[in-house]
Amino acid sequence: MRFLVCLAVLVLAAPSAQAQPAPTPIDAETRNAAIADVGDLIAENYYDAGRGAAIAEELAAFARSPQAAGLDTGQELATALVEFLRERDRHFNTAWRGPEFIAQVQAQWDAEEAAGGEEEDSIERWAEYRPQNYGFNDVRVLEGNIGYMAVTTFNPLIASQSKADAALSFLADTDAVIIDLRGNRGGEPELVNYLLSHFTAAGERVHYNTVLQRNVDAEDLYTIADHPMGHRPDVPLYVLVSSESFSAAEALAYHLQAMGRATVVGEVTGGGANAGRIFLAPAGLLVFIPDTTGRSPFTGANWDRTGVRPDIEVAAEDALERARVEALTRQVSGVEIEGPEAMQSAYQLALAQAEAGRWVPTPAELEACTGQYNGGRVWLEDGQLRYQGSNNVLALTPFAPGVFHFPDNDTVQVHFPGYRSGRASAMRQAYPSGDFFDRERID
């Protein structure tokens, strides 16, 4: 029950205005005792003993400061401590609950320990995440056969595995996968391992992290060699992140990036790399203290305070479209368009590129598209391409790199393959279905 109690009582986000408790006045003795409690707990439990002792000393100095003297309520104290501690480690957190409540929780924990420890975890403990489908509430296939899976939180496998399995199964035949972790604040590391392992090779246990704690032997973490949903080691993989992505969400992005397995797209993440647990400060505070850190064997480090730096850095709101463009570009790059599937990818790529901003070709790029084609001629006049087949002269409007539209017809795309070389090889008319026909250059 210890975990369940902590989950229920430690609200890390600010409560709504209606739910906010009345401020609890505290005197100087209570304030100083609470700060001392927190310092002692950090000195005893922070993953880095030397750094923990230093933070405790800094807290003692803070207790003597004019800023601390002005903290007249428990809530003000908790807020000030969060600000102070997160400058040292972004996983620190505190919440004021009062000494009576802390004593009750401690008594419950002591009773559980005397009875043989905590009860086993169950899905009922995670019922509050059921409306979000335990973190998997948006799974779909985007145009171009690109799989998309938004993961909003990391629940333990007892609650999330069936949902993860359903999502991975649904996306099994896609040509690329995008995992969206924007705004995900973290959770349980076992789901990180589960998702990570699906995108590594079958039959291999890849060492991807080493867990380090005080007075405990280091523990190496490995991917699952035989994943229940199989393995997709070669599917192009993109991970979307934002400045709000934190903790376990950062872990998945960081390890996939460090292994060279995924392209990370978005913003630098929050920088919370050190896991921990909740401790009780008798004077009235719940305290989350990072007692565990990790080290990647690929980088020799982690993302603590630096965050995960994307391979492609763009605003969070633009990350999905940018990843989709990257995936489609990879699909058509170096591929000879011989059938509707490849053509459909090229068509969708042009749409995605145009959404990011209509193409403005250079004079040389326009000139590369001119020439005599089977059934028609393309020439440059007054800075615009024009086409004439057997009948009328039609203007060609730039749309996406190497792609144009006819007037009043946004459905048909006109592609000029090979234009980047300085001389297009054909004039290709493409349709949303993937159907197309080429007018070969004949001059």
Side-chain angles (χ1 to χ4, degrees):
M1 279 297 289
R2 177 178 299 195
F3 176 81
L4 183 60
V5 169
C6 291
L7 184 67
V9 300
L10 185 60
V11 181
L12 301 184
S16 66
Q18 292 85 354
Q20 286 181 345
T24 305
I26 57 173
D27 57 23
E29 182 179 358
T30 301
R31 180 181 64 244
N32 292 334
I35 297 174
D37 286 347
V38 173
D40 290 344
L41 288 169
I42 291 173
E44 294 169 6
N45 296 286
Y46 191 65
Y47 76 89
D48 182 326
R51 186 73 185 115
I55 293 172
E57 291 180 4
E58 292 166 358
L59 274 170
F62 171 75
R64 298 188 295 270
S65 70
Q67 180 186 357
L71 302 173
D72 297 325
T73 70
Q75 289 77 8
E76 289 177 350
L77 174 60
T79 299
L81 286 174
V82 169
E83 294 175 356
F84 179 90
L85 291 171
R86 284 191 179 167
E87 292 179 357
R88 283 106 180 130
D89 190 309
R90 294 176 187 174
H91 252 121
F92 276 123
N93 214 335
T94 64
W96 176 263
R97 291 295 183 266
E100 295 81 7
F101 183 84
I102 297 298
Q104 292 173 7
V105 175
Q106 186 64 65
Q108 185 172 347
W109 286 6
D110 292 342
E112 289 171 359
E113 186 171 349
E118 300 179 53
E119 65 184 52
E120 291 186 5
D121 199 4
S122 67
I123 194 171
E124 286 75 18
R125 293 187 175 189
W126 303 88
E128 67 177 285
Y129 295 100
R130 184 170 177 269
Q132 304 171 32
N133 201 37
Y134 299 100
F136 293 87
N137 62 357
D138 189 1
V139 183
R140 48 198 158 105
V141 179
L142 307 178
E143 293 288 349
N145 198 33
I146 298 170
Y148 171 84
M149 176 173 65
V151 184
T152 59
T153 189
F154 284 80
N155 286 172
L157 291 181
I158 194 170
S160 63
Q161 182 175 342
S162 64
K163 310 306 179 184
D165 287 350
L168 297 175
S169 176
F170 182 70
L171 301 179
D173 293 317
T174 54
D175 295 324
V177 173
I178 297 172
I179 302 176
D180 192 347
L181 303 177
R182 292 175 295 178
N184 185 315
R185 300 297 291 172
E188 293 295 313
E190 61 182 356
L191 181 57
V192 173
N193 176 273
Y194 195 74
L195 294 176
L196 179 78
S197 299
H198 178 66
F199 297 101
T200 58
E204 296 183 10
R205 295 179 69 245
V206 180
H207 174 211
Y208 69 91
N209 193 24
T210 297
V211 176
L212 304 169
Q213 293 180 291
R214 284 170 63 170
N215 306 317
V216 177
D217 291 340
E219 178 186 5
D220 291 335
L221 300 183
Y222 294 84
T223 58
I224 303 167
D226 185 13
H227 197 282
M229 299 310 298
H231 296 261
R232 302 190 70 187
D234 299 317
V235 66
L237 185 61
Y238 302 85
V239 179
L240 311 185
V241 294
S242 70
S243 60
E244 295 300 311
S245 302
F246 196 69
S247 194
E250 296 178 279
L252 181 59
Y254 185 87
H255 294 310
L256 285 169
Q257 183 187 60
M259 296 165 70
R261 185 58 194 86
T263 300
V264 178
V265 184
E267 300 170 339
V268 177
T269 60
N274 304 321
R277 55 197 173 101
I278 296 166
F279 294 85
L280 304 178
L285 290 166
L286 288 162
V287 190
F288 186 91
I289 297 175
D291 62 356
T292 304
T293 192
R295 183 176 62 234
S296 165
F298 295 94
T299 67
N302 62 32
W303 61 97
D304 182 42
R305 290 187 285 183
T306 63
V308 179
R309 185 163 296 279
D311 300 293
I312 302 173
E313 194 165 342
V314 297
E317 59 268 25
D318 299 327
L320 175 56
E321 198 56 42
R322 180 59 183 273
R324 184 166 167 258
V325 168
E326 292 294 321
L328 289 166
T329 301
R330 183 169 178 172
Q331 286 181 23
V332 303
S333 178
V335 175
E336 189 69 29
I337 303 295
E338 296 180 345
E341 185 174 345
M343 188 67 251
Q344 193 171 50
S345 293
Y347 187 99
Q348 292 299 326
L349 173 59
L351 289 178
Q353 290 173 325
E355 288 176 12
R358 190 171 287 269
W359 179 49
V360 180
T362 66
E365 289 171 326
L366 290 172
E367 190 65 41
C369 300
T370 63
Q372 191 72 39
Y373 297 91
N374 185 18
R377 181 172 70 95
V378 176
W379 71 97
L380 187 61
E381 182 179 312
D382 297 329
Q384 184 172 40
L385 285 187
R386 301 185 186 275
Y387 166 75
Q388 184 175 28
S390 56
N391 296 311
N392 297 335
V393 174
L394 299 174
L396 290 171
T397 302
F399 181 63
V403 182
F404 296 76
H405 274 158
F406 288 125
D408 303 321
N409 190 341
D410 288 343
T411 301
V412 178
Q413 295 179 359
V414 181
H415 293 234
F416 286 90
Y419 83 97
R420 294 184 188 277
S421 69
R423 182 177 171 83
S425 60
M427 176 181 172
R428 175 175 296 151
Q429 291 183 219
Y431 301 85
S433 63
D435 293 333
F436 69 97
F437 70 90
D438 283 351
R439 300 180 185 276
E440 300 293 338
R441 178 184 285 276
I442 57 176
D443 59 0

